[in-house]
Amino acid sequence: MKKSMLRRLWLPMAMAVLTVYAASTAVVAAADYPDKPITFIVNFGTGGQFDTVSRAIARPLEKHFGQPVVVRNVTGGGGTVGMTAISRADPDGYTVGLLASGMLTMAPHRMNLAYTIDSFNAFRGLGNVLIGIAVAEDSPFKTLEDLVEVARERRVNVSNTGMGGAPTMFVELLNQRYGTQLVSIPAKGGGEGVAAVLGGHTEAILSNTSIITGGSDLRLLASVSSQRWPNAADVPTAQEQGYDVAVDAFLAIGGPADVPQEIADAWVEAIEAALEDPDFVQVAERFSMPFIDMSGDEFKAWAKEAKDDYEPIIKAMD
């Protein structure tokens, strides 16, 4: 009886001691953070906008932390493989990455994923990848209204350089709400999409700012995001032109859900410092990627709301 009672008393005490030890160890680790290189996962390949932005922000992060920030491209599954890698990383703050909203708001309705929005500790919002619709300079479509009116009467093929993401969502929203017959034609990259519209194989292109304003002979009809493009500020958004459609592609930086709050706070400070770095600001401006003032919790709340909003739209596409 005495041995049994001692065992019952000893086990909870041992567990309590272990819990206190683990907590104190985590505090010490957080206080010393970082004391080794950090891996920064990008869920798309090299050379693209997400990769370029990630490598650009890695440099001021290195300055702030005093440790290397090594960008690692983890591709596949339309960006979901990289997101899975972030969610499954050790929650010690040494493996973090870019949280792309499309992988949180749209992909879950198309795939069985190993993560949810709550699988991540989003440290802070970063920027908005603006999307626009453009045509060739010699196109008969001079305004977005011109294109919509024709697309109500017949099929209009649109080069889509972001299949499955925000550009696709714009097409489906416009089709559902305004009776248009826009059809997304997949493009492997911006160059292929531009060549298709300039060659007359498609009549318009949906892409980001670096593709459409990168010296090609294209005319922007509208920003299809919720704000105008900084490098084409005279062109109104689709909403400003009377079409109740806007798609945003917010980015955040984060890690797996169990990253200690002290380390998450260190990342918030580092990201905010990076947003003031002149070299990084220049890269963001080149891509016309405005920064967003959004906490990690606000980013996750927005993603959950957008995910719910997109569900019936995506189901109607199947």
Side-chain angles (χ1 to χ4, degrees):
M1 289 289 291
K2 290 183 178 179
K3 288 183 178 179
S4 177
M5 184 177 295
L6 286 171
R7 188 179 296 112
R8 289 199 298 271
L9 290 171
W10 178 81
L11 284 172
M13 290 175 64
M15 292 300 294
V17 170
L18 288 171
T19 300
V20 171
Y21 174 77
S24 63
T25 302
V27 170
V28 171
D32 294 338
Y33 179 87
D35 61 3
K36 62 182 181 180
I38 298 166
T39 297
F40 191 99
I41 292 177
V42 184
N43 43 23
F44 291 96
T46 58
Q49 182 170 6
F50 289 173
D51 176 67
T52 303
V53 167
S54 297
R55 292 180 188 278
I57 200 173
R59 291 187 283 275
L61 291 175
E62 286 181 338
K63 294 178 190 176
H64 181 87
F65 283 131
Q67 291 288 342
V69 176
V70 181
V71 175
R72 181 161 70 96
N73 300 87
V74 180
T75 61
T80 61
V81 174
M83 294 287 284
T84 300
I86 297 170
S87 71
R88 290 178 172 175
D90 289 337
D92 56 6
Y94 289 98
T95 300
V96 302
L98 198 66
L99 306 184
S101 59
M103 278 72 263
L104 298 170
T105 61
M106 303 177 200
H109 300 304
R110 298 189 175 98
M111 310 177 190
N112 292 320
L113 301 176
Y115 62 82
T116 68
I117 294 171
D118 287 326
S119 299
F120 302 93
N121 185 334
F123 305 142
R124 192 194 188 284
L126 180 61
N128 189 4
V129 180
L130 302 181
I131 307 297
I133 187 164
V135 295
E137 282 285 3
D138 59 358
S139 169
F141 303 138
K142 304 302 181 186
T143 65
L144 179 60
E145 184 179 8
D146 291 341
L147 186 149
V148 169
E149 290 304 314
V150 170
R152 281 174 168 156
E153 301 297 325
R154 63 167 175 83
R155 167 176 171 153
V156 173
N157 291 336
V158 180
S159 294
N160 188 335
T161 67
M163 286 298 295
T168 305
M169 189 57 58
F170 173 77
V171 167
E172 296 305 322
L173 283 168
L174 204 68
N175 286 345
Q176 290 183 27
R177 294 179 182 177
Y178 296 96
T180 52
Q181 301 175 55
L182 300 181
V183 178
S184 288
I185 305 300
K188 293 179 181 178
E192 182 177 288
V194 170
V197 71
L198 294 181
H201 306 293
T202 60
E203 295 182 75
I205 181 172
L206 274 161
S207 191
N208 60 48
T209 65
S210 62
I211 300 302
I212 292 177
T213 61
S216 56
D217 296 323
L218 296 174
R219 183 172 65 254
L220 182 66
L221 297 182
S223 165
V224 304
S225 301
S226 59
Q227 60 193 107
R228 295 189 184 194
W229 292 10
N231 55 354
D234 58 327
V235 179
T237 66
Q239 285 182 317
E240 289 174 325
Q241 296 184 53
Y243 301 97
D244 186 23
V245 178
V247 289
D248 288 306
F250 290 146
L251 301 177
I253 292 176
D258 294 332
V259 172
Q261 189 58 47
E262 294 87 349
I263 292 177
D265 290 343
W267 269 96
V268 172
E269 183 179 326
I271 295 166
E272 290 181 349
L275 295 180
E276 300 292 332
D277 182 84
D279 291 337
F280 178 60
V281 169
Q282 187 175 34
V283 172
E285 288 177 348
R286 176 159 57 89
F287 282 100
S288 207
M289 185 192 80
F291 299 143
I292 54 173
D293 186 12
M294 183 179 281
S295 71
D297 287 342
E298 289 170 336
F299 173 82
K300 289 176 66 174
W302 170 84
K304 288 177 180 180
E305 183 177 352
K307 176 177 175 287
D308 290 343
D309 290 343
Y310 290 155
E311 183 175 11
I313 300 164
I314 293 172
K315 285 185 175 178
M317 293 164 55
D318 296 335

